[in-house]
Amino acid sequence: MHRPRKEMIAETRAKLIAAARQAFGTIGYAQASMDDFTASAGLTRGALYHHFGDKKGLLEAVIAEIDAEMAARVNEVASRAPTRWQHFVDECTTYIEMALEPEIQRIMFRDGPAVLGDPAQWSNANACVGSMAGHLSALQREGVVVDSLDPETTARLINGASSQASQRIANSNDPEATSKMVVAAFKQLLEGLLSKPQSRPS
Amino acid sequence: MHRPRKEMIAETRAKLIAAARQAFGTIGYAQASMDDFTASAGLTRGALYHHFGDKKGLLEAVIAEIDAEMAARVNEVASRAPTRWQHFVDECTTYIEMALEPEIQRIMFRDGPAVLGDPAQWSNANACVGSMAGHLSALQREGVVVDSLDPETTARLINGASSQASQRIANSNDPEATSKMVVAAFKQLLEGLLSKPQSRPS
DNA sequence: GACAATTACATACGGAACGTATGGGTGTTA
DNA sequence: TAACACCCATACGTTCCGTATGTAATTGTC
């Protein structure tokens, strides 16, 4: 009883991505031996080169998967906010919380940029920033945010601050306390975007 | 006529650092062959391992050198500002301008964090952030900046936004125009730190 | 339903890069 | 001047990557 071939192929691809994600997220991209983590998936480098071209190609696939997960989680959490500005703020803080996970930090914020270059140029992984930029331009149309700013540029800057925020929390020896400090400073920066001093949801 | 030995040693160290800096800044840390760039300095890997332990140790030395240069340049430029807040803003924008250089981008913002981990943990390279944090706390004492924020945390967040700002400018196909957009968005974020709407120097 | 052609992967090979162990040569010190 | 310490080069083994090749299984065609 043979399963259809498409499924077998998709399964090996998924196994390779999962094994690579595990290795990249723990020991890091450079330290991850292709022989080792392909073997842990019951395969060899032959399969890897066939499906992904090279090690970088596999990293791109891993990043695309993580990016999609992050975007889904962000939207899921933030969609419950009452106002659009609150939605936007929740989006940012959720992003920070996700970036606390070592796997995401390592792959998305360290090894990814080092190996693949500027994340803004990644063709397959811009979901989070795109969503943030969309909300920013909507907020501009509503007059909440100063309208002289370019949305995507602003989203990128916030993104950079977020990643630093996460790193600071993650490397702290008192994560609870520093988390409050970091989020406070972060929200303070965000308020610079507001066009007028107005009532702010807590 | 033999020079004293200390000078010879310092010279080989400097030559290794310079060669490594050139290689790391152009082709990147991972692609830089130790055999190649030591040979370009008229040396071999023996000298490298003797003085720096390993490739990472040499990268640390390169980073320390660049960090010192950056701190000197930032202070040099920003010290001419009339007000302390303006001084702080100039410090940030100068930082962004410096980060436009490919060598600094690559070594300080990409390969450095990927190889050595969170820059906040670097023992030898915190001059810029330290200076910014110092100015922030002074501004807090003067009532210009909201005093509920932790200075170093805030400086780190700004630092993250700065590096994204630089990357965006550097990778743009119209650097002049995007530079204006990026700096505008950046300054807008900074104004979130001000305790009250007050007269802002242009 | 046989046979050709393509696909999916494993295996084998060569080369590059790293780390260590070792050795030679030069300056310093007694 | 003789022993010593240090600076650096050389030699070697190992690990890892990329390509080239091989093989079994599947698909397409008549």
Side-chain angles (χ1 to χ4, degrees), chain B residues 40-196:
Chain B
S40 80
L43 296 164
T44 67
R45 280 180 313 150
L48 192 159
Y49 279 101
H50 181 74
H51 286 292
F52 301 99
D54 59 353
K55 201 180 182 183
K56 285 171 62 176
L58 181 52
L59 177 61
E60 290 178 12
V62 170
I63 285 179
E65 185 180 276
I66 296 178
D67 180 72
E69 291 178 13
M70 290 176 70
R73 286 171 59 184
V74 163
N75 287 334
E76 216 276 330
V77 171
S79 64
R80 286 192 272 272
T83 70
R84 191 187 292 275
W85 172 254
Q86 187 61 39
H87 185 129
F88 174 71
V89 174
D90 286 357
E91 202 170 16
C92 292
T93 53
T94 305
Y95 195 78
I96 292 178
E97 288 173 13
M98 284 193 310
L100 281 175
E101 299 168 26
E103 185 182 62
I104 291 178
Q105 281 229 0
R106 182 101 208 202
I107 297 176
M108 302 298 280
F109 297 138
R110 282 195 195 171
D111 293 345
V115 176
L116 302 178
D118 182 10
Q121 314 291 332
W122 297 352
S123 56
N124 53 355
N126 288 321
C128 291
V129 173
S131 164
M132 274 182 51
H135 289 129
L136 273 174
S137 60
L139 286 165
Q140 286 177 322
R141 283 192 297 273
E142 296 171 2
V144 179
V145 165
V146 290
D147 62 354
S148 59
L149 305 179
D150 178 57
E152 191 176 338
T153 297
T154 312
R156 289 283 172 195
L157 297 190
I158 294 170
N159 210 24
S162 303
S163 83
Q164 291 300 313
S166 301
Q167 282 196 43
R168 189 158 182 80
I169 299 172
N171 293 320
S172 167
N173 40 14
D174 185 356
E176 308 281 338
T178 55
S179 176
K180 290 178 182 174
M181 291 200 318
V182 168
V183 172
F186 185 79
K187 286 185 178 176
Q188 196 70 40
L189 280 174
L190 286 186
E191 295 198 0
L193 301 177
L194 292 171
S195 57
K196 295 175 183 179

Side-chain angles (χ1 to χ4, degrees), chain B residues 3-72:
Chain B
R3 308 275 292 288
R5 182 162 236 210
K6 290 283 185 184
E7 290 186 14
M8 302 297 291
I9 295 171
E11 186 182 336
T12 62
R13 279 182 61 97
K15 282 199 289 190
L16 284 174
I17 291 177
R21 179 171 172 169
Q22 156 68 20
F24 294 164
T26 51
I27 61 177
Y29 176 86
Q31 292 298 321
S33 161
M34 299 165 76
D35 282 317
D36 288 351
F37 68 74
T38 53
S40 80
L43 296 164
T44 67
R45 280 180 313 150
L48 192 159
Y49 279 101
H50 181 74
H51 286 292
F52 301 99
D54 59 353
K55 201 180 182 183
K56 285 171 62 176
L58 181 52
L59 177 61
E60 290 178 12
V62 170
I63 285 179
E65 185 180 276
I66 296 178
D67 180 72
E69 291 178 13
M70 290 176 70

